[in-house]
Amino acid sequence: MKKILFVASEGVPFIKTGGLADVVGSLPKCFDKEKYDCRVILPKYMCIRQEWKDKMQDLTHFYMDLSWRSQYVGVLEMEYQGVHFYFIDNEYYFAGPKPYGNIYQDVEKFAFFSRAALSALPVIGFRPDIIHCHDWQTGLVPVYLHDSFGQGDFYRGIKCIMTIHNLKFQGVWDMKTIQDITGLDKSYFTPDKLEAYGDANYLKGGIVYADWITTVSRTYAEEIKTPFYGERLDGLMRARSGCLSGIVNGIDYDEYDPETDQFIEQKYNARNFRKEKIKNKRALQRELGLEQDDRKFMIGIVSRLTDQKGFDLIAYMMDELCQLDLQIVVLGTGEERYENMFRQFAWKYQGKVSANIYYSEAMSHKIYASCDAFLMPSLFEPCGLSQLMSLRYGTIPIVRETGGLKDTVEPYNEYESTGTGFSFANYNAHEMLGTVKYAMDVFYSHKREWNKMVDRAMAKDFSWKTSAKQYEELYDHLLAE
Ligand code: ADP
Ligand code: GLC
């Protein structure tokens, strides 16, 4: 039995701010249980829902040195869907209404978490063969493992994987503070280790000291070796390209299944969507106060409202988009200027635009199930899960050809009748508009072609089956060395 430990800052169903949580919560249960014992360790944030906290059991607690401080570490555990979850408790660090806040607090919080996760292992009696780290919040795990922990018998030989879900976030703060927080020796803060452009960089540390690096699509794994996508670490990515691979994300096919989804008005499947899916559109139009019209082309957006997702293109084109014969339904939170932009257009085009500026699992499912198309014109996209959810619900993605969007959405070819969505290459608002118009034309004027595209979209398999195998192969490869 190979033992794997996921260390991450979020995971469904406990705590989620984005796709990272979906991956951390859904991948571990997809490994072959005969061969891999994959467990997960997360922070026990105060903002985790009480219903989950009630189910956690106290395992142990101890005090740990973090630089010159001595800190309380509580460890709780819980089994969920056959997977063992551990939670690190410390009410000083994990208080607050959200997992992340000010970066200067977060760098200390996640130094604590990374060190606590490692320190807890002998106490709970789980010695992983591989520690699989996710994003900058856990970037110090490979560093600490290389440092003091690696000296001890218990930890010697443990391999580390660093998965990059988003290279933009690196956990950067000034070197003096980070040295003080982490207790790491001065020698770690050089350009070949944690230092980058004069500051200390957690993710860089993780990338330097991990035995292998993955990212969440093949295209993104290539893109981050270039200056445009490399977020100033492209040189490092090129240097480490021999140990870098891209494994595309899957989604939880039980959670996202139009045939069993409890959140939606009318369940449907690949055989009866032509008749049944429309009932969801009707219900959503009613619920959101949109014009009641079965045949209206409805576009959905479910997203963090940030530049990454292409909202400056949408903002630029919004007035023109609203001149078209369509409806737009948005669900998201994020940058205030985008929140207000959508609120304004919902006011200006009542019955046509619906702005839902909040977070809701239920509403997201309704949108995936009700809309005809899903718009995601990202500037960059390591993988993207929303387009996979859309495909699963027969909602046709309109995307920019970048990262995981390029790898998962096959552009429509009207001559060969192939493809599962619409895409454009350049980050350009008019290209996006042209692509939306093209999709609209197929929807209104070639309905049979559109429906055949829905057939193809729903027939695609983006469950974890294939990608979980690829992670297993990577684990085997690292342990065979
Ligand atoms: P990212 O992780 O970059 O935000 P992904 O596409 O990988 O993008 O994952 C986003 C996840 O967050 C999806 O599960 C999506 O449905 C969900 N999501 C984003 N915004 C909201 C929201 N306002 N309400 C509910 N779910 C949301
Ligand atoms: C990040 C990326 C997104 C990816 C998700 C899960 O949040 O922005 O593209 O799907 O992580 O890997």
Side-chain angles (χ1 to χ4, degrees):
M1 185 72 89
K2 290 169 180 151
K3 298 203 192 80
I4 317 292
L5 179 73
F6 273 38
V7 189
S9 58
E10 48 183 285
V12 292
F14 309 105
I15 186 86
K16 165 167 165 177
T17 72
L20 168 63
D22 291 300
V23 173
V24 170
S26 61
L27 173 57
K29 65 181 175 194
C30 299
F31 293 125
D32 182 348
K33 294 242 163 33
E34 310 270 287
K35 299 199 187 123
Y36 304 88
D37 177 1
C38 179
R39 306 187 183 188
V40 183
I41 190 159
L42 299 168
K44 180 177 176 267
Y45 300 106
M46 215 108 96
C47 59
I48 291 178
R49 284 220 312 272
Q50 195 58 41
E51 97 180 74
W52 296 119
K53 286 195 243 171
D54 289 343
K55 295 195 174 110
M56 297 174 188
Q57 282 172 344
D58 281 314
L59 204 57
T60 179
H61 67 267
F62 55 91
Y63 281 82
M64 172 189 83
D65 290 335
L66 179 65
S67 190
W68 49 270
R69 302 167 179 84
S70 175
Q71 299 288 14
Y72 172 88
V73 180
V75 186
L76 296 91
E77 70 173 338
M78 174 180 162
E79 202 171 302
Y80 180 74
Q81 297 184 341
V83 177
H84 220 97
F85 286 86
Y86 298 104
F87 299 87
I88 298 290
D89 184 31
N90 178 301
E91 294 192 351
Y92 167 69
Y93 286 121
F94 302 133
K98 288 185 301 190
Y100 319 124
N102 296 317
I103 182 70
Y104 60 88
Q105 287 170 339
D106 289 351
V107 285
E108 184 172 333
K109 183 192 297 182
F110 291 108
F112 165 79
F113 174 62
S114 298
R115 202 173 170 85
L118 286 171
S119 306
L121 297 175
V123 189
I124 59 184
F126 183 70
R127 186 206 174 269
D129 300 300
I130 291 180
I131 301 184
H132 191 157
C133 307
H134 298 266
D135 273 356
W136 77 264
Q137 292 87 346
T138 57
L140 287 181
V141 171
V143 182
Y144 278 136
L145 199 60
H146 174 270
D147 190 47
S148 49
F149 286 92
Q151 319 298 317
D153 278 347
F154 181 87
Y155 298 94
R156 196 167 301 131
I158 296 180
K159 301 274 177 168
C160 252
I161 297 176
M162 187 81 230
T163 291
I164 303 168
H165 295 262
N166 194 333
L167 191 59
K168 186 163 186 82
F169 304 112
Q170 299 177 359
V172 176
W173 201 246
D174 77 84
M175 283 199 282
K176 241 176 117 194
T177 310
I178 297 302
Q179 209 183 315
D180 176 67
I181 288 173
T182 58
L184 287 165
D185 188 73
K186 227 172 64 208
S187 61
Y188 277 97
F189 297 87
T190 55
D192 56 334
K193 299 184 178 121
L194 265 75
E195 192 264 346
Y197 305 97
D199 284 320
N201 184 314
Y202 281 23
L203 184 64
K204 184 174 181 218
I207 294 170
V208 168
Y209 286 104
D211 297 286
W212 196 270
I213 303 131
T214 74
T215 182
V216 287
S217 69
R218 284 168 75 147
T219 293
Y220 193 61
E222 292 306 315
E223 286 173 339
I224 56 179
K225 294 178 211 160
T226 68
F228 185 82
Y229 292 102
E231 305 288 348
R232 307 213 293 174
L233 292 185
D234 47 297
L236 175 64
M237 300 320 307
R238 287 194 297 276
R240 292 235 59 194
S241 59
C243 315
L244 167 67
S245 54
I247 300 179
V248 74
N249 287 332
I251 54 171
D252 189 329
Y253 261 37
D254 298 326
E255 208 57 45
Y256 294 93
D257 180 359
E259 201 155 18
T260 56
D261 196 321
Q262 297 300 326
F263 291 121
I264 65 178
E265 171 82 11
Q266 175 65 51
K267 302 183 180 48
Y268 61 97
N269 58 35
R271 289 177 305 283
N272 64 17
F273 76 86
R274 285 177 175 76
K275 230 176 90 228
E276 306 296 342
K277 190 177 192 294
I278 190 80
K279 295 178 186 165
N280 291 303
K281 188 199 259 185
R282 270 180 216 148
L284 194 65
Q285 285 174 335
R286 206 177 318 120
E287 179 175 351
L288 300 179
L290 292 164
E291 191 193 330
Q292 295 272 308
D293 184 347
D294 279 5
R295 44 165 295 287
K296 193 71 80 185
F297 186 54
M298 187 192 261
I299 299 183
I301 297 173
V302 177
S303 183
R304 290 185 290 119
L305 304 179
T306 64
D307 283 336
Q308 175 192 339
K309 304 292 177 175
F311 283 105
D312 54 343
L313 299 190
I314 296 177
Y316 186 75
M317 271 300 154
M318 198 59 186
D319 245 323
E320 269 187 69
L321 277 171
C322 290
Q323 305 307 317
L324 305 175
D325 187 20
L326 47 67
Q327 293 180 337
I328 299 177
V329 180
V330 182
L331 173 66
T333 59
E335 287 173 34
E336 222 174 273
R337 60 191 165 124
Y338 294 133
E339 295 189 345
N340 289 334
M341 183 271 288
F342 282 118
R343 286 190 185 108
Q344 193 220 328
F345 280 100
W347 169 79
K348 188 169 170 189
Y349 295 94
Q350 277 172 36
K352 201 163 184 178
V353 177
S354 168
N356 304 279
I357 310 302
Y358 52 82
Y359 184 91
S360 160
E361 202 77 20
M363 183 52 76
S364 72
H365 285 240
K366 289 181 195 175
I367 293 176
Y368 293 127
S370 306
C371 292
D372 300 298
F374 188 86
L375 183 59
M376 201 166 170
S378 303
L379 174 62
F380 69 94
E381 198 59 77
C383 178
L385 301 175
S386 298
Q387 83 281 11
L388 303 181
M389 293 160 186
S390 299
L391 288 166
R392 173 90 164 134
Y393 283 79
T395 298
I396 298 299
I398 302 174
V399 303
R400 190 173 91 83
E401 288 154 19
T402 183
L405 298 174
K406 187 170 171 188
D407 295 350
T408 58
V409 178
E410 190 196 334
Y412 174 54
N413 180 326
E414 62 186 32
Y415 305 104
E416 292 176 6
S417 199
T418 56
T420 55
F422 295 87
S423 62
F424 59 99
N426 297 303
Y427 194 71
N428 175 302
H430 285 95
E431 257 185 62
M432 179 189 75
L433 181 69
T435 310
V436 170
K437 284 183 175 165
Y438 179 34
M440 221 170 91
D441 177 60
V442 177
F443 179 80
Y444 282 127
S445 312
H446 307 277
K447 203 42 170 288
R448 286 196 52 199
E449 276 298 304
W450 181 274
N451 281 334
K452 281 200 265 174
M453 189 158 23
V454 176
D455 280 330
R456 291 191 293 271
M458 293 185 82
K460 285 269 168 198
D461 184 357
F462 287 107
S463 69
W464 274 109
K465 216 166 34 200
T466 312
S467 298
K469 276 245 154 50
Q470 290 177 15
Y471 280 112
E472 289 176 355
E473 279 162 19
L474 174 59
Y475 297 154
D476 294 350
H477 169 74
L478 284 179
L479 293 176
E481 273 177 356

